[in-house]
Amino acid sequence: MQLGLIGLGKMGANMRSRLKKFDHEVIGYDPRPEVTDVASLADLASALEAPRVVWVMVPSGAPTRETVEKLAEVLSQGDLVIDGGNSRYTDDAVHAELLDSKGIGYLDCGVSGGVWGLENGYGLMAGGAAADVEKAMPIFDALRPPGERADGFVHAGPVGAGHYAKMVHNGIEYGLMHAYGEGYELLSAEPLIDDVEGTLRAWTHGTVIRSWLLDLLVKALQEDPGLTEISDYTTDSGEGRWTVEEAIRHSVPANVISAALFARFASRQEGGSPTLKAVSALRNQFGGHAVKPSQHQ
């Protein structure tokens, strides 16, 4: 299948590589001339055979909105746009309405897997019409992990459902990461524990708290024992905030997710926290997110 891919950053470039491994033709556009296949979005549209499928993988907010608006001008009736970035779900209805006025389909797709998705596959959560999902299914099947489709892909509902699902996924991620960080700090504080990294590693198989995030925390500690090379300063991409806002709207007591979000705010204040160092290290491990170097190097 042929796909136009807009945005060839960490995630987009890896997605292009994975799709090519499955013999899909990917024509990429990126503002950086050293990585792009075409010079403009108009050139991208010209290079694709109708009906076109174009995947947008750019930062949420204005960059995504501007890209969708430009695509509405260069694509044609019968084409399909997929927003695979971390857009807020409320933006999806606006994008879908704009493209629908031109006869262009729209899907929103939450994507999880970070920089490891190239090798392991990506968890995918799609929102939109069933016919549009079916049209893009060869792409979804190539990007998702091997095995049963339902174990790595869901058509979560109509337009907006994919990004809503990904928002909640990321909110849960906040809580899990912070719990592991607190456990790491407590182990580090107790003189009885001689081997903190070894204790965490012993939890990675057979225990009820084993997970990929725990594997990554052990990996981070092996690479940087004591996490001395990074500070506890931890940013947030916005999806944790949106999850808490939705919890308030639905009167859902999201105590853990809220506390994890507020802890990230606290990390940007004076002082230091081993818990937040662990969270920062985990974000770097699974997503390649930048970390702030420790001031004690």
Side-chain angles (χ1 to χ4, degrees):
M1 183 174 173
Q2 188 184 60
L3 179 75
L5 180 59
I6 301 171
L8 300 173
K10 287 177 295 190
M11 287 277 283
N14 282 349
M15 290 169 66
R16 175 170 66 172
S17 297
R18 184 172 176 87
L19 288 167
K20 287 184 175 181
K21 284 184 179 181
F22 284 82
D23 298 323
H24 293 290
E25 179 187 1
V26 182
I27 302 175
Y29 168 72
D30 192 279
R32 296 169 296 161
E34 67 271 17
V35 299
T36 194
D37 297 321
V38 294
S40 67
L41 291 181
D43 288 345
L44 177 65
S46 298
L48 296 169
E49 300 173 5
R52 308 170 184 88
V53 178
V54 178
W55 189 298
V56 179
M57 206 69 191
V58 301
S60 62
T64 296
R65 288 193 295 271
E66 291 166 5
T67 300
V68 171
E69 289 168 1
K70 290 176 182 176
L71 286 173
E73 299 302 321
V74 299
L75 296 181
S76 305
Q77 185 172 350
D79 293 344
L80 174 65
V81 173
I82 305 170
D83 176 13
N86 281 335
S87 295
R88 187 162 189 169
Y89 80 97
T90 49
D91 290 342
D92 292 315
V94 178
H95 296 160
E97 183 177 0
L98 170 63
L99 293 169
D100 183 64
S101 70
K102 306 280 187 173
I104 302 167
Y106 178 81
L107 295 175
D108 56 287
C109 184
V111 180
S112 179
V115 296
W116 296 84
L118 171 59
E119 177 182 349
N120 300 332
Y122 301 89
L124 304 172
M125 299 141 266
D132 289 334
V133 170
E134 189 61 32
K135 182 187 297 185
M137 192 56 74
I139 299 299
F140 293 141
D141 278 340
L143 289 173
R144 68 173 175 82
E148 289 190 41
R149 180 183 290 167
D151 289 338
F153 172 85
V154 64
H155 179 194
V159 166
H163 280 146
Y164 195 97
K166 179 56 163 48
M167 174 192 71
V168 176
H169 165 283
N170 281 24
I172 293 169
E173 182 184 288
Y174 276 49
L176 289 171
M177 291 165 64
H178 201 79
Y180 284 129
E182 289 179 350
Y184 161 72
E185 181 170 2
L186 188 55
L187 289 172
S188 301
E190 175 50 58
L192 285 171
I193 302 297
D194 292 328
D195 187 355
V196 173
E197 181 265 315
T199 301
L200 292 169
R201 183 176 178 180
W203 295 347
T204 60
H205 292 79
T207 74
V208 296
I209 63 166
R210 65 190 183 274
S211 75
W212 184 48
L213 284 174
L214 182 57
D215 294 342
L216 292 176
L217 179 55
V218 171
K219 182 175 182 291
L221 287 166
Q222 290 171 340
E223 295 173 354
D224 176 17
L227 304 178
T228 58
E229 297 181 7
I230 61 174
S231 76
D232 65 341
Y233 188 102
T234 307
T235 61
D236 66 284
S237 61
E239 298 218 42
R241 300 182 188 217
W242 303 340
T243 305
V244 171
E245 290 172 6
E246 287 298 303
I248 294 169
R249 187 169 74 89
H250 288 291
S251 300
V252 172
N255 302 308
V256 172
I257 296 172
S258 300
L261 173 66
F262 296 151
R264 293 195 182 191
F265 296 165
S267 80
R268 302 166 206 169
Q269 299 173 347
E270 297 257 342
S273 166
T275 297
L276 271 301
K277 281 193 175 189
V279 172
S280 184
L282 277 169
R283 295 182 78 249
N284 178 257
Q285 285 288 330
F286 73 72
H289 300 290
V291 297
K292 186 176 181 180
S294 170
Q295 300 298 316
H296 302 294
Q297 290 189 62

